[in-house]
Amino acid sequence: MNKLTDTQIKEALSKMGKQDKLNMALYRRVYSHFGLSSCELWIFYYLQLSGQGITQKDMCQQMFFPKQTINSAVSNLVKKGMVTLDESPDNRKNKIINLTEDGKKAAQETAQKLLQAEIKATEKLGSEKTALYNQMRAEYYDLLKSEFESDFLKDEE
């Protein structure tokens, strides 16, 4: 493993941070363009991907958003007539988020367009670069999480 100098580390962190912020800014433009909150768009996205309803609990696990944020976004989408909250046949406490007909149209016009753009960009990147990108991001996340948890996130889950 190559040892980095302090200057190289600072430059690398600056470039990685800038790239992360550029990606976040790009997605914020998408949310704004579609007139949705980030959470609302991701709810459409995951419902679109699944092709069926998803429990709020599963949605929280997939999206890494706090439960309150999901609940608030779902409530807004229910008010707009885009989704329904239905009781799970397995457990009445679990609510399943389902797209309404209007929600299906909205998801097609928003989340599906986002997904198609991501697919095209990934195809252009190619299988080797995509695999390397995913491997490196996952490895960096694991290392960073370990450092955070050993230093200052010791008591948090």
Side-chain angles (χ1 to χ4, degrees):
M1 185 162 64
N2 297 343
K3 178 92 169 128
L4 297 173
T5 66
D6 286 347
T7 301
Q8 290 172 318
I9 290 169
K10 288 177 184 174
E11 287 174 6
L13 289 173
S14 177
K15 288 178 183 178
M16 291 179 344
K18 181 179 179 181
Q19 193 59 56
D20 285 343
K21 286 165 188 59
L22 283 170
N23 286 339
M24 288 187 288
L26 181 59
Y27 277 92
R28 278 194 304 273
R29 284 181 56 204
V30 172
Y31 312 142
S32 178
H33 174 79
F34 291 132
L36 296 168
S37 72
S38 63
C39 192
E40 289 171 336
L41 184 57
W42 290 116
I43 288 170
F44 280 160
Y45 185 94
Y46 284 108
L47 287 169
Q48 191 77 6
L49 274 180
S50 76
Q52 60 188 15
I54 300 175
T55 66
Q56 284 184 288
K57 180 180 178 180
D58 288 342
M59 190 68 74
C60 290
Q61 290 172 345
Q62 288 182 15
M63 292 175 53
F64 301 99
F65 278 96
K67 186 177 178 183
Q68 271 304 106
T69 304
I70 300 288
N71 288 341
S72 178
V74 168
S75 293
N76 287 337
L77 291 172
V78 168
K79 288 176 191 170
K80 293 177 184 178
M82 299 293 170
V83 299
T84 59
L85 272 178
D86 305 307
E87 288 181 359
S88 170
D90 302 336
N91 183 342
R92 295 172 58 115
K93 287 184 179 181
N94 289 336
K95 301 291 184 202
I96 299 175
I97 307 164
N98 286 296
L99 291 168
T100 63
E101 287 305 312
D102 285 344
K104 288 176 185 175
K105 290 176 191 170
Q108 280 290 323
E109 295 168 6
T110 58
Q112 189 61 36
K113 287 183 178 182
L114 171 63
L115 179 60
Q116 288 303 314
E118 289 175 333
I119 289 169
K120 287 178 185 177
T122 303
E123 286 173 342
K124 289 176 182 177
L125 199 55
S127 63
E128 286 181 25
K129 286 183 180 179
T130 298
L132 182 59
Y133 174 82
N134 287 327
Q135 175 189 347
M136 298 304 297
R137 291 289 300 228
E139 185 176 341
Y140 183 73
Y141 170 81
D142 290 342
L143 291 168
L144 188 59
K145 181 177 181 248
S146 176
E147 291 299 323
F148 285 173
E149 290 174 348
S150 71
D151 187 23
F152 56 87
L153 294 180
K154 295 175 186 171
D155 299 331
E156 296 181 30
E157 180 99 9

